[in-house]
């Protein structure tokens, strides 16, 4: 049996990753402080995994999770723990910086001590408000180091620097993935991110809150595609960084209309101020992932939206808690 530890395993992407690893017959330890993740995300996995799934509720940067993770070696450590929705990380700036520095330091050291390959989930936010389009891994980015978003962006950039330094100085096995906007079941309804907001708003008949004029672009990737990419990276010896995302780029206003159409909602669109430093364009160049990992996304935006809406509808209607 193979053994993995997933930080942030009770979060949106983390819980899907735990599920995929359990499906492969692996044994999985999930470390999460539930600050943005939830127990309900992993309840089903405790049934699915039985003794192969173990949840440790601890803060990655301050808690005593290493001793609670169990004795012995691990094959993989996936480090996902962090608030990821802008309103979430803007509400806890220092905690976000801590997990993006001390948290990563402890996670990568744990991987080294236990003999595991370390997979760091970085972000398209390292490109900031990009001046190169689409973004490839060679682009260094355009980040405001003291802007409000910097607590997330710079924590991820520091973590990339730390991960690559461990590879260079210690020869540690590492892989860095840069995740672009991802959506799907287990996002917290209305968590502040564009699709969880829009779908929740459309299903409850509220206006869809488009920030700015809605001309800014994003390229949403369905969560199952993203998780498949993370596993492909962990199976390889690629160091990266490597972009993981769906290059189908849409404006935020187009996205609002797609959601209204797909939900059959009578909601309208309400324009609101654009947040500070909001990137104007974002689209991944996935050439490297296609070449090195034989990976590309397969779920079309319209199909992913239908699956996500179905999941969200059951929560909003109160059918499922
Ligand atoms: N956005 C929006 N309405 C919302 C939430 C987000 O128009 O209710 C916009 C946001 O300004 C950004 C894009 O949608 O341009 C994606 O935002 P999100 O928070 O999902 O992720 P980001 O890519 O900014 O980290």
């Amino acid at each position: 049996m193979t053994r993995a530890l997933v930080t942030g395993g009770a979060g949106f992407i983390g819980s899907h990753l735990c599920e995929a690893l359990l499906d492969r017959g692996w044994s999985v330890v999930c470390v999460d402080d539930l600050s943005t993740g939830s127990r309900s995300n992993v309840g089903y996995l405790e049934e699915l995994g039985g003794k192969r799934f173990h949840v440790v509720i601890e803060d990655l940067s301050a808690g005593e999770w290493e001793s609670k993770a169990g004795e012995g070696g691990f094959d993989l450590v996936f480090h996902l723990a962090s608030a990821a929705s802008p309103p979430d990380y803007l509400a806890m700036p220092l905690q976000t910086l801590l997990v993006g520095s001390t948290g990563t330091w402890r996670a990568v050291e744990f991987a080294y001590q236990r003999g595991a390959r370390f997979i760091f989930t970085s972000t398209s936010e390292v490109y900031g408000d990009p001046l190169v389009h689409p973004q490839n891994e060679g682009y260094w980015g355009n980040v405001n180091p003291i802007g409000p978003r910097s607590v997330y962006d710079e924590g991820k950039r520091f973590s990339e620097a730390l991960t690559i330094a461990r590879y260079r100085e210690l020869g540690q096995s590492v892989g860095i993935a840069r995740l672009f906007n991802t959506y799907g079941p287990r996002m917290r309804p209305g968590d502040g991110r564009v699709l969880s907001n829009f779908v929740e708003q459309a299903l409850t008949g509220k206006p869809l809150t488009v920030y700015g004029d809605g001309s800014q672009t994003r390229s949403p990737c369905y969560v199952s595609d993203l998780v498949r990419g993370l596993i492909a990276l962990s199976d390889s010896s690629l160091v990266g960084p490597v972009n993981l995302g769906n290059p189908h780029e849409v404006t935020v206003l187009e996205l609002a209309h797609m959601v209204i159409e797909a939900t059959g909602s009578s909601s309208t669109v309400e324009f609101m101020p654009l947040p500070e430093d909001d990137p104007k364009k974002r689209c991944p160049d996935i050439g490297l992932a296609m070449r090195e990992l034989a990976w590309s996304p397969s779920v079309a935006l319209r199909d992913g939206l239908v699956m996500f809406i179905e999941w969200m509808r059951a929560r909003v209607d109160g059918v499922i808690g």
Side-chain angles (χ1 to χ4, degrees):
M1 198 188 319
T2 315
R3 193 175 183 212
L5 182 134
V6 179
T7 79
F12 157 49
I13 298 176
S15 62
H16 284 279
L17 177 62
C18 290
E19 184 173 353
L21 295 171
L22 290 170
D23 279 343
R24 285 182 136 199
W26 287 36
S27 160
V28 179
V29 176
C30 153
V31 180
D32 203 299
D33 67 357
L34 305 184
S35 53
T36 56
S38 75
R39 193 85 215 189
S40 63
N41 279 350
V42 286
Y44 157 71
L45 301 183
E46 287 177 307
E47 281 171 37
L48 177 76
K51 286 200 171 85
R52 290 189 293 120
F53 189 60
H54 178 48
V55 182
V56 175
I57 311 283
E58 285 284 358
D59 176 343
L60 197 71
S61 40
E64 296 303 316
W65 55 271
E66 289 95 333
S67 56
K68 295 184 183 171
E71 301 286 318
F74 281 80
D75 300 281
L76 287 169
V77 170
F78 291 90
H79 176 34
L80 282 77
S82 177
S85 158
D88 282 346
Y89 63 69
L90 295 173
M92 42 182 158
L94 296 179
Q95 198 182 329
T96 302
L97 279 165
L98 256 183
V99 81
S101 52
T102 308
T104 307
W105 194 282
R106 286 176 60 172
V108 72
E109 177 62 23
F110 178 87
Y112 190 66
Q113 296 295 334
R114 303 294 188 100
R117 174 164 164 76
F118 180 71
I119 302 297
F120 174 59
T121 57
S122 185
T123 169
S124 55
E125 282 279 325
V126 301
Y127 302 122
D129 190 5
L131 306 176
V132 166
H133 193 73
Q135 294 79 58
N136 62 59
E137 293 86 350
Y139 177 50
W140 292 356
N142 178 35
V143 171
N144 175 358
I146 55 163
R149 295 174 86 102
S150 68
V151 297
Y152 183 69
D153 303 3
E154 296 292 2
K156 292 288 189 182
R157 288 171 70 100
F158 169 82
S159 296
E160 283 201 14
L162 172 61
T163 302
I164 210 85
R166 306 253 337 177
Y167 166 71
R168 292 197 182 115
E169 193 172 327
L170 305 172
Q172 182 169 356
S173 173
V174 301
I176 300 171
R178 290 183 177 153
L179 278 49
F180 283 64
N181 296 67
T182 307
Y183 70 100
R186 305 202 191 122
M187 288 183 105
R188 242 173 41 237
D191 78 355
R193 286 182 278 197
V194 64
L195 274 172
S196 43
N197 276 8
F198 283 179
V199 172
E200 198 253 353
Q201 289 160 343
L203 291 175
T204 53
K206 289 183 258 181
L208 272 64
T209 52
V210 170
Y211 301 159
D213 62 5
S215 64
Q216 69 273 33
T217 68
R218 292 297 185 270
S219 308
C221 182
Y222 194 69
V223 65
S224 59
D225 279 334
L226 195 282
V227 165
R228 197 165 42 77
L230 283 178
I231 290 180
L233 176 61
S234 73
D235 280 342
S236 79
S237 55
L238 183 67
V239 174
V242 59
N243 289 339
L244 294 179
N246 190 323
H248 179 170
E249 182 183 6
V250 286
T251 68
V252 165
L253 189 56
E254 279 166 349
L255 211 47
H257 288 299
M258 284 179 84
V259 169
I260 288 173
E261 194 193 311
T263 49
S265 170
S266 54
S267 289
T268 54
V269 164
E270 182 180 41
F271 291 94
M272 298 180 66
L274 190 68
E276 195 177 338
D277 293 339
D278 197 280
K280 286 181 259 330
K281 277 173 176 252
R282 186 180 288 154
C283 179
D285 175 333
I286 58 165
L288 183 66
M290 289 171 75
R291 279 193 307 279
E292 296 293 326
L293 304 176
W295 176 86
S296 59
S298 64
V299 180
L301 179 54
R302 282 188 191 281
D303 299 334
L305 275 182
V306 168
M307 291 188 278
F308 182 38
I309 288 166
E310 199 177 307
W311 179 87
M312 186 80 92
R313 198 188 294 275
R315 267 99 205 137
V316 168
D317 290 349
V319 179
I320 303 173

